[in-house]
Amino acid sequence: MSVDPRVGAAVAEAHRREWAFVLAATVRVTRGLDLAEECVQDAYAKALVDWATNGVPRNTGAWLTTTARRRALDLLRRQATAARALPLLVGTHTDEGLDPGLEERFDGAAIGDERLRLVFTCCHPTLSRDAQVALTLRLLCGLSTAEVARAFLVSESTMAARITRAKKKITQARIPYRVPAREELPERVASVCEVVHLLFTTGHAAPAGAELIRRDLVERALDLARMLRALLPGNADVTGLLALILLTDARRDARLDAHGQLVLLAEQDRVRWDHDAITEGVALVREALRSRPPGRFALMAAIAAVHDEADSWATTDWHEIVGLYDLLVALWPSPVVALNRAVAVGFAHGPTAGLDALAPLTTEPQLAGYSYLAAARAEFLARLGRTHDARTAYEEALLLTENTVERGYLTRRLDQLHA
């Protein structure tokens, strides 16, 4: 069956924008994640047919939610026996335990935001950290299993098994579908911060597709970070996370040129940066750094602040950035952080030092399919005049890159070396 391109585009946009709302609202009917997902997927499939005949509705989210919930009710009526056997995911009083004082600090839409309920459900402490993040990215954002796997640098089959186990754990443990009571929030916030950060990074540099930036994911991460900041205004991790998102996303408009081609930080027009966001982010960084010792997100935000406050690429204080990365690596050992530190070393001390710092990472299993490692090596090799080796590294990066905009940049760099 052929699909009207306009309808297909409308459904795709609704998937990006409305998936979390539709799924979370449907969960409250089905009382189970798998059935809710099935009903929501059916609703999107039905939209392809219905919208082609009756036109795209003005409120696509409402149409999809109504369709998914009707489908869920229909299935539950037909399978009454099975429905009675399902462990409850949602209690009769879904807001039980919610601090009533929060109602005064949020409007009705904010405190009732189904996305936030779904985040805390998926980030329940009975789940492992990786499962919490993966499940929330899958359910809250509607990312495919392959996209979540790329965010974690693991295989798709590994991620599929992880998500399935997490869903079963939620059902078996009867994890409630609600925002936790205030006394529970601190222990849950680290997991939620991890979720929101990965959500942002997936949108900031989309792992695949024709767009470099998935604005819907970036904006959703920013919304969630602001919600968390309102819930826990004194939490340094939440403050640092919001600062990091603001300071990184402030450069969004300068990351592509008029032709949609990637513009690296060194060549960006800093006038196009969002200086209001930078001002807000810097203030939040200073607040987050007052906590001792500084947390992971505060340090990452501080690195972003050094970039954003520099008048130009040439005046960037790379030695300070390396020092901040040293603190970050000690606090949060990660192959990706080590890679970013190695790149900073190359800019602070020269391309040879950068290659030396990158060398140990070439045998790191988690970076085996990570294109940025090969691209970083290629840049330093090119600066040293080692053209043949640089070409090989760029070709390796191309093999590992599925984002069209990034592939275009790497191809242009290869062409320049051939020239």
Side-chain angles (χ1 to χ4, degrees):
M1 179 186 72
S2 61
V3 177
D4 185 328
R6 290 172 297 179
V7 172
V11 172
E13 179 66 14
H15 184 275
R16 287 193 295 270
R17 297 286 182 185
E18 312 291 353
W19 172 272
F21 294 104
V22 179
L23 177 64
T26 307
V27 167
R28 295 173 72 83
V29 173
T30 64
R31 304 182 178 187
L33 291 171
D34 285 331
L35 183 58
E37 271 199 284
E38 177 185 337
C39 294
V40 172
Q41 289 166 353
D42 285 348
Y44 277 95
K46 186 175 181 180
L48 288 171
V49 178
D50 187 278
W51 296 0
T53 303
N54 301 316
V56 177
R58 184 172 63 177
N59 190 331
T60 57
W63 189 98
L64 289 161
T65 300
T66 300
T67 303
R69 288 165 69 99
R70 285 175 177 169
R71 174 63 173 162
L73 288 170
D74 183 54
L75 289 175
L76 289 173
R77 288 191 189 102
R78 288 193 219 173
Q79 303 171 7
T81 302
R84 285 194 296 270
L86 284 173
L88 293 183
L89 172 63
V90 186
T92 304
H93 303 291
T94 55
D95 289 336
E96 185 179 354
L98 190 62
D99 182 354
L102 294 179
E103 294 284 0
E104 300 175 2
R105 295 165 50 202
F106 287 86
D107 58 33
I111 194 63
D113 191 328
E114 300 294 346
R115 294 177 302 174
L116 196 56
R117 297 177 189 273
L118 189 55
V119 168
F120 277 110
T121 299
C122 295
C123 294
H124 196 274
T126 58
L127 301 174
S128 70
R129 178 60 55 82
D130 284 351
Q132 292 168 357
V133 180
L135 190 58
T136 304
L137 288 175
R138 176 74 184 93
L139 298 180
L140 181 74
C141 309
L143 298 185
S144 69
T145 302
E147 288 176 307
V148 180
R150 280 193 288 271
F152 273 90
L153 307 179
V154 299
S155 70
E156 184 174 352
S157 59
T158 297
M159 183 53 62
R162 188 178 297 174
I163 290 173
T164 299
R165 287 194 300 268
K167 287 180 180 178
K168 289 181 179 178
K169 187 71 175 285
I170 285 178
T171 300
Q172 293 167 355
R174 299 192 179 191
I175 292 174
Y177 181 59
R178 61 176 173 84
V179 177
R182 175 163 295 282
E183 61 270 17
E184 300 174 28
L185 281 172
E187 67 183 59
R188 301 278 294 277
V189 74
S191 298
V192 177
C193 284
E194 181 77 19
V195 168
V196 176
H197 180 244
L198 260 180
L199 173 59
F200 171 71
T201 57
T202 302
H204 177 73
E211 298 176 334
L212 176 68
I213 305 165
R214 288 190 58 179
R215 293 175 181 266
D216 57 320
L217 297 187
V218 171
E219 290 163 5
R220 195 167 295 169
L222 181 57
D223 287 344
L224 288 169
R226 288 197 184 280
M227 287 180 198
L228 290 173
R229 165 76 172 168
L231 277 168
L232 294 172
N235 185 283
D237 285 336
V238 169
T239 302
L241 173 64
L242 178 55
L244 174 62
I245 292 175
L246 285 167
L247 291 166
T248 306
D249 190 49
R251 304 189 287 264
R252 184 199 304 185
D253 290 343
R255 294 177 63 207
L256 296 173
D257 65 15
H259 304 289
Q261 296 180 341
L262 178 65
V263 180
L264 295 187
L265 184 60
E267 301 162 353
Q268 287 177 13
D269 179 1
R270 299 184 179 224
V271 173
R272 299 181 62 195
W273 289 0
D274 185 341
H275 295 280
D276 289 339
I278 291 172
T279 299
E280 181 183 0
V282 169
L284 289 170
V285 168
R286 290 171 179 159
E287 178 183 335
L289 289 175
R290 295 192 193 112
S291 177
R292 290 290 183 270
R296 161 193 167 190
F297 293 112
L299 290 172
M300 295 169 72
I303 293 168
V306 174
H307 283 296
D308 287 4
E309 292 190 299
D311 293 331
S312 66
W313 174 261
T315 60
T316 302
D317 190 342
W318 287 103
H319 291 86
E320 181 179 359
I321 290 175
V322 171
L324 288 168
Y325 270 122
D326 288 339
L327 294 173
L328 184 58
V329 167
L331 176 69
W332 185 55
S334 158
V336 174
V337 173
L339 170 59
N340 290 335
R341 179 192 174 277
V343 172
V345 167
F347 288 119
H349 303 292
T352 299
L355 285 173
D356 290 343
L358 289 171
L361 302 177
T362 58
T363 57
E364 173 59 55
Q366 284 187 272
L367 297 178
Y370 201 52
S371 63
Y372 296 132
L373 173 57
R377 291 188 66 254
E379 291 286 345
F380 288 144
L381 288 166
R383 289 175 60 188
L384 290 170
R386 295 169 56 180
T387 305
H388 176 75
D389 293 336
R391 279 201 299 265
T392 300
Y394 275 127
E395 288 166 353
E396 178 185 349
L398 267 170
L399 289 174
L400 299 173
T401 302
E402 296 185 52
N403 183 279
T404 303
V405 177
E406 291 179 341
R407 288 185 61 85
Y409 169 78
L410 294 170
T411 300
R412 290 193 301 277
R413 290 293 289 141
L414 261 175
D415 291 342
Q416 290 168 3
L417 288 178
H418 284 301

